[in-house]
Amino acid sequence: MKKNYLRPVLPAVLALGLLGSCVSTKKYEAALAENRSLVVLQDELTRQKAELESERARLQQDKERLNQEKSDLATEKASTEASLRTNLNTKNQQVTKLSADLQAREARLAEMQRILDEKDKAVNSLRQVVSNALLGFKASDLTVDVRNGKVYVSLSNQLLFKSGSTKVDAQGQEALKKLATVLQNQPDVNVLVEGHTDDVPVARGTAGMQDNWDLSVLRATEITRILTDAGVAPQRVTPSGRSKYVPVDAATTAEARQKNRRTEIILTPKLDELFQILEKN
């Protein structure tokens, strides 16, 4: 505990009063009053000092708290920046991967488009070759056109068959053999032979036939034999019958029925290369 240097003044004054009778009562009282003032002043200074010490301690705590908050903010900032960098790197990697995937897809699409363009070119070339080979026949009996990326050779039954017959006439055989010669030089073309009839039922008692299904299939099969006998590989040719159910003209007039009695030979370039690309996708 700190010493109070003002408090010993009172005993000294009292001693002087006892020793010296020449000290007056008035001066004694003045000394006492001054001593009391000094004590009050000392107490006030002690109180203010205590308050200052308390304020200093509080300010020190505030400083430490602020420093801790500053440190926490710095740590949080560093953590946030690290997280942002990680997220940015992840996003950059994702963008790079997506960009690579997009380029790969664009390359595949470009390759598919190239093959489709080549197929269209081959189809148009095939149509021209077939048309040139079959120039000598009437347009009403034989047409060659392109539909849905395929070459359709449509032959009327007037050219091929007598009514109710499944045997091809001589002129029809000539046309089919010319077509077979073209197809031998087109090994990448598949051949579908479709027989079509009108809506008139097959005459009762016709040998080997119950209805127009039989008639259309048997005619397609006969044409298939002529093509393969003329040199077209059998594995490339598929005969099928559509009966009366895919008419060119839905009317029931004689003219409409004549249009509907036909055989369509559908030539389709093989798309193995394109299918391989699709399977990869």
Side-chain angles (χ1 to χ4, degrees):
M1 180 181 294
K2 294 182 180 180
K3 294 181 179 180
N4 191 331
Y5 292 99
L6 296 177
R7 295 189 184 279
V9 174
L10 180 58
V13 172
L14 292 174
L16 288 174
L18 294 173
L19 296 173
S21 57
C22 59
V23 179
S24 65
T25 300
K26 184 177 181 179
K27 288 182 178 181
Y28 175 73
E29 291 176 352
L32 286 175
E34 182 178 0
N35 185 63
R36 284 193 295 272
S37 297
L38 290 173
V39 171
V40 171
L41 178 60
Q42 179 64 31
D43 290 342
E44 178 64 19
L45 289 175
T46 300
R47 185 186 64 78
Q48 291 183 4
K49 180 179 180 182
E51 289 180 353
L52 289 173
E53 290 292 338
S54 176
E55 180 68 14
R56 178 184 177 188
R58 186 183 64 79
L59 291 175
Q60 182 64 31
Q61 290 176 352
D62 289 345
K63 178 182 178 182
E64 292 175 355
R65 178 178 56 79
L66 291 174
N67 285 336
Q68 183 61 46
E69 290 178 357
K70 179 181 178 182
S71 176
D72 293 343
L73 288 173
T75 301
E76 183 179 353
K77 177 184 176 183
S79 176
T80 301
E81 289 177 347
S83 177
L84 288 174
R85 283 194 297 270
T86 300
N87 290 338
L88 181 60
N89 290 335
T90 301
K91 295 297 182 184
N92 286 337
Q93 291 174 0
Q94 291 174 347
V95 169
T96 300
K97 184 178 183 303
L98 288 174
S99 179
D101 290 345
L102 180 60
Q103 290 179 354
R105 289 189 179 185
E106 288 177 344
R108 286 194 293 270
L109 286 174
E111 181 65 8
M112 290 170 63
Q113 187 61 52
R114 180 189 67 78
I115 294 171
L116 288 173
D117 291 343
E118 289 183 356
K119 188 213 73 170
D120 289 342
K121 183 179 178 181
V123 167
N124 290 324
S125 175
L126 178 61
R127 182 196 63 79
Q128 189 60 51
V129 171
V130 172
S131 296
N132 292 340
L134 302 175
L135 277 177
F137 299 90
K138 294 180 183 179
S140 59
D141 290 339
L142 189 154
T143 60
V144 181
D145 60 0
V146 174
R147 282 179 268 159
N148 303 320
K150 303 173 184 178
V151 176
Y152 281 72
V153 182
S154 183
L155 303 98
S156 71
N157 278 4
Q158 183 177 346
L159 173 65
L160 297 173
F161 303 102
K162 290 183 173 63
S163 179
S165 174
T166 61
K167 298 300 180 182
V168 178
D169 291 342
Q171 189 177 16
Q173 290 190 29
E174 179 187 354
L176 293 173
K177 290 176 181 178
K178 287 183 177 181
L179 178 60
T181 300
V182 172
L183 294 177
Q184 288 181 68
N185 297 322
Q186 302 287 337
D188 292 329
V189 174
N190 290 321
V191 183
L192 175 64
V193 181
E194 282 189 352
H196 297 265
T197 69
D198 58 22
D199 60 342
V200 178
V202 172
R204 289 184 179 181
T206 303
M209 286 181 280
Q210 295 184 23
D211 51 28
N212 282 332
W213 282 115
D214 286 338
L215 179 59
S216 63
V217 170
L218 290 172
R219 284 177 170 176
T221 303
E222 181 65 17
I223 290 172
T224 297
R225 287 195 184 94
I226 293 172
L227 292 175
T228 55
D229 288 345
V232 180
Q235 60 268 28
R236 295 171 52 196
V237 189
T238 303
S240 66
R242 306 301 298 272
S243 186
K244 62 182 180 181
Y245 298 104
V246 189
V248 174
D249 190 334
T252 57
T253 63
E255 181 181 0
R257 285 169 172 163
Q258 182 178 346
K259 292 178 184 177
N260 294 333
R261 294 191 299 268
R262 70 199 188 280
T263 297
E264 290 188 337
I265 300 176
I266 304 169
L267 310 178
T268 306
K270 293 180 181 179
L271 300 176
D272 295 346
E273 189 176 5
L274 180 60
F275 291 147
Q276 289 174 1
I277 293 176
L278 291 175
E279 287 175 359
K280 290 179 182 178
N281 292 338

